[in-house]
Amino acid sequence: MTEGGRVRLAVDLLYYTGKRGGTETYARQVLPRLAAAWPELELVGLVGSAGLEEVSGWFPGTVHPVPFVGENRPLWALAETALIARRTARLGADLLWCPANFGPGTGSVPRVVTLHDVIAFEFPNPETSRVTQEVTTWIIRRTARTAAHVITDSEASAQAVVRVLGIPRDRITPTPLAGSSPAAVEDPDAELAALGVDPGRALVLSTGNRMPHKNFAGLLRALARIPAGQRPQLALTGSHGDDPLAPLVAELGLAEDVLLLGWVTSAQLEALYGRAAVYACPSLSEGFGLPVLDAMRRGCPVVAADIPVLREVGGEAARYAD
């Protein structure tokens, strides 16, 4: 502990770039609330150059830049395994928290890791090289097995961590997430018009990255089975750059039915939730499934894939489908 009985918590935010979706939202939502609920806590954030400016805007503590670490994955992996533990000790931290699956495997400071899921093991990204996949899963496995404790997002995820990584169940604490509060949008019709949403059609919304476990290909094939004149419009958010789903949309003849919206603003996403007749969550695997809660908090009905974690999150309020 520091002087005055304060607890110094170092937070590994090397992964933070502003482009990683759910794991960044998790840290951005939890840390300010943690600081408010625990006045004796002194937070120290370890941040790479890619996320430094954004993290400095919301982090409720002192930000320490880690030089040479940006979006370059090899440098990031090297920093995780070789630099973070030493810097944490040098800062006099009592505990290191790694909120996004990755962290060091050694060090004198006790470590807690939030392991959101084991998707990297069960649904590897075909667009990444075998070497990258092996390094990624090695770091996750080593981080989890050497941590003093593992936090995860759901009981289903805890069981997956036990099954895939062999971590004893008594070293894992499921901590369910909370949906974000709805925010007012000044002119939702203008936001929707800018995105190309057709005001005369029912809208189905789905969000997420383009990793295989998200199963957007399955959602598109389901949409294609509906007769053309009866199809709702489908809005898919969450991609960067050229959308890998575009060839399948063309192949299925869905160009007039699908909006591949990429990364949208907070106001645009609120407007989409408000306009959608249904939120679809077709994922084959999740650590939690936060958009299911976000949709329901906004009064949007949810249809989700029939997997244990989404039943755990949606309960009887959602509908489930193969």
Side-chain angles (χ1 to χ4, degrees):
M1 290 191 180
T2 59
E3 293 183 10
R6 290 173 64 82
V7 175
R8 182 171 291 165
L9 173 65
V11 185
D12 180 358
L13 294 171
L14 283 192
Y15 72 95
Y16 202 106
T17 66
K19 301 176 182 177
R20 300 198 183 205
T23 53
E24 293 179 342
T25 301
Y26 172 74
R28 200 167 55 242
Q29 294 288 334
V30 167
L31 284 163
R33 289 169 170 80
L34 186 62
W38 191 358
E40 298 80 18
L41 188 65
E42 180 183 339
L43 289 165
V44 180
L46 299 164
V47 188
S49 60
L52 181 59
E53 183 176 351
E54 187 171 339
V55 170
S56 298
W58 60 261
F59 187 77
T62 306
V63 175
H64 284 262
V66 178
F68 313 118
V69 181
E71 296 191 50
N72 180 283
R73 292 184 68 89
L75 283 177
W76 163 79
L78 179 63
E80 286 287 6
T81 56
L83 293 180
I84 287 294
R86 288 203 295 269
R87 280 185 172 266
T88 301
R90 214 161 32 225
L91 289 167
D94 300 295
L95 181 69
L96 171 64
W97 178 37
C98 305
N101 301 346
F102 302 97
T106 60
S108 58
V109 178
R111 300 175 305 285
V112 172
V113 60
T114 298
L115 183 53
H116 295 277
D117 53 62
V118 291
I119 290 169
F121 298 87
E122 297 185 317
F123 292 90
N125 187 350
E127 295 184 3
T128 61
S129 69
R130 181 177 176 181
V131 171
T132 299
Q133 291 177 14
E134 289 179 352
V135 170
T136 298
T137 53
W138 176 79
I139 294 175
I140 294 172
R141 184 182 294 108
R142 185 170 179 253
T143 302
R145 288 180 175 175
T146 60
H149 204 75
V150 175
I151 300 169
T152 193
D153 301 336
S154 62
E155 180 57 38
S157 184
Q159 295 300 330
V161 172
V162 172
R163 182 182 72 252
V164 174
L165 298 181
I167 308 295
R169 181 62 182 82
D170 61 3
R171 285 184 49 222
I172 306 169
T173 299
T175 306
L177 307 183
S180 62
S181 299
V185 180
E186 184 175 341
D187 191 346
D189 290 338
E191 300 286 358
L192 295 170
L195 295 173
V197 174
D198 185 344
R201 297 176 69 180
L203 181 70
V204 175
L205 173 64
S206 197
T207 63
N209 60 45
R210 300 304 189 247
M211 296 285 282
H213 69 278
K214 293 295 186 182
N215 192 30
F216 287 130
L219 181 59
L220 290 171
R221 291 190 174 96
L223 182 68
R225 295 179 66 177
I226 300 173
Q230 301 174 30
R231 287 176 195 150
Q233 190 173 39
L234 172 63
L236 294 173
T237 73
S239 176
H240 290 285
D242 294 335
D243 199 310
L245 293 173
L248 182 58
V249 169
E251 176 189 327
L252 295 172
L254 296 175
E256 301 300 317
D257 305 302
V258 176
L259 298 173
L260 298 176
L261 299 178
W263 203 259
V264 297
T265 67
S266 297
Q268 288 171 334
L269 185 57
E270 287 288 351
L272 287 165
Y273 273 125
R275 172 69 172 76
V278 172
Y279 181 86
C281 185
S283 292
L284 303 174
S285 180
E286 289 289 345
F288 187 78
L290 192 54
V292 169
L293 282 191
D294 285 341
M296 291 195 293
R297 287 198 69 178
R298 288 155 178 80
C300 183
V302 172
V303 175
D306 194 0
I307 59 175
V309 67
L310 295 182
R311 281 195 174 268
E312 184 177 338
V313 174
E316 295 182 0
R319 295 294 179 266
Y320 303 94
D322 187 334

